[in-house]
Amino acid sequence: MPASAYRLLAMALLVLPLAVPVRPAHAQPAGASRLLRASDLDTLSLRDAGRRIAYGDDSLHFGELRLPPGLPRGARAPVAMVIQGGCWISSFATLRNTAALADALAASGVATWNVEYRRADHPGGGWPGTFTDIARAADHLRVLAREYPLDTARVVAVGHSAGGHLALWLAGRPSLPAGTPLSSAAPLRLTGVVSLGGVTDLEEFVGRMPSGCGRGASMLLGGPLASLPDRVALASPIRRLPLGVPTAHVAGAQDGIAPEPVRAAYARAAVAAGDAPPANVTVPGGHFEVNAPRTAAGAEAIRQTRRLLGMTPP
């Protein structure tokens, strides 16, 4: 599926008849008034392109590391592992979709590890490869910390859309039963999770969008979810509660991927399972404004990330 199809799919999925004014980092024509699209995110300017570093052997096992400027000598920076989404399908997005947010987070004092990974339609992706890629990328922060000033005791996963699902899943990884396809011996423990328009409940999502973005979730798990209850139990964030770390959920008022009632249902389930009440923040815009740091939604994403890292507001 060409990248242009993602733009059409995103518009159809979000069902956005109303436009709101936005001012992204790239200039719009005078008088323009609309919600951001996925393609807009790929045009946002970057202060720092980052260091491209491999975390595995596959061509898609890499990330972009950005360090905050002016870090005091001997200090170690807290880290945001940033995970792009795109319905778990390769043609919908790349890590360029989250690069501007990662860059802005680094400028605010947070080291960022913006990762690429195999999606459901890549050879080796899907079940379990997509999950093990994300796990491997997270654990690689320990390796990076040998060379770069990273504080691996303060790591927040920040994920957009399908990446929000993977960020929440990553937080619950330490509680996965030993011997299952997604478990590992010594997973890096997170400080928290910021889900940006993220998918919190795979079954609910596929039921709501069976022929749209939910198709990617079925591809991710390898078939219809109803026929794969064991995989759903290991992969769906709402089924992995309690996560044991604080979470923040930020989504646009016109975001059809992560509408407020769905986020509220996840928050209730998290509290019932014993987690602290998640922050549930509705911001102006649709599904993509949260990745654009110069929008109010993007600023909130940065604020929530810094808050979970114990940093003062930017």
Side-chain angles (χ1 to χ4, degrees):
M1 183 182 295
S4 60
Y6 182 30
R7 297 193 290 271
L8 294 175
L9 175 64
M11 293 174 69
L13 288 178
L14 301 180
V15 192
L16 300 172
L18 300 177
V20 297
V22 294
R23 294 292 183 267
H26 65 293
Q28 292 191 63
S33 178
R34 63 167 174 81
L35 294 169
L36 289 181
R37 302 166 182 160
S39 58
D40 293 323
L41 300 175
D42 293 343
T43 70
L44 298 180
S45 60
L46 301 177
R47 172 193 58 89
D48 177 7
R51 299 166 174 84
R52 179 166 168 162
I53 301 172
Y55 65 81
D57 299 328
D58 192 271
S59 62
L60 292 168
H61 287 164
F62 69 90
E64 295 171 347
L65 180 67
R66 292 176 173 87
L67 300 176
L71 192 67
R73 186 178 183 85
R76 289 188 171 270
V79 182
M81 176 172 165
V82 184
I83 309 171
Q84 52 91 4
C87 300
W88 306 275
I89 297 174
S90 63
S91 58
F92 285 7
T94 70
L95 82 174
R96 184 64 176 88
N97 246 212
T98 45
L101 178 62
D103 190 32
L105 279 165
S108 81
V110 180
T112 56
W113 176 227
N114 185 28
V115 299
E116 191 56 273
Y117 56 95
R118 293 174 295 179
R119 259 60 64 73
D121 57 331
H122 282 132
W127 183 273
T130 295
F131 295 92
T132 55
D133 284 3
I134 292 297
R136 189 172 187 176
D139 292 342
H140 196 71
L141 283 168
R142 296 185 181 120
V143 177
L144 295 177
R146 298 172 191 164
E147 183 176 355
Y148 300 98
L150 306 177
D151 184 356
T152 56
R154 286 196 295 163
V155 179
V156 164
V158 180
H160 176 246
S161 195
H165 155 256
L166 293 169
L168 290 163
W169 171 82
L170 193 63
R173 190 165 58 117
S175 69
L176 288 167
T180 59
L182 306 187
S183 63
S184 54
L188 181 75
R189 292 183 179 271
L190 299 181
T191 304
V193 176
V194 179
S195 171
L196 304 174
V199 177
T200 57
D201 183 339
L202 291 179
E203 292 168 295
E204 183 280 332
F205 186 64
V206 171
R208 178 160 48 93
M209 294 185 167
S211 60
C213 201
R215 180 174 62 91
S218 298
M219 292 169 62
L220 178 72
L221 296 196
L225 269 60
S227 67
L228 299 167
D230 292 343
R231 293 186 180 185
V232 172
L234 295 175
S236 185
I238 202 167
R239 300 285 294 275
R240 301 306 314 154
L241 295 170
L243 299 185
V245 299
T247 63
H249 302 253
V250 183
Q254 293 169 273
D255 186 344
I257 297 291
E260 199 284 331
V262 172
R263 287 181 278 126
Y266 178 85
R268 290 193 297 270
V271 172
D275 276 341
N280 184 5
V281 185
T282 300
V283 291
H287 189 54
F288 298 102
E289 277 75 7
V290 288
N291 276 355
R294 294 190 188 178
T295 66
E300 183 64 22
I302 294 171
R303 191 184 77 81
Q304 292 294 336
T305 302
R306 287 175 55 91
R307 180 181 67 82
L308 292 183
L309 287 168
M311 303 170 72
T312 58

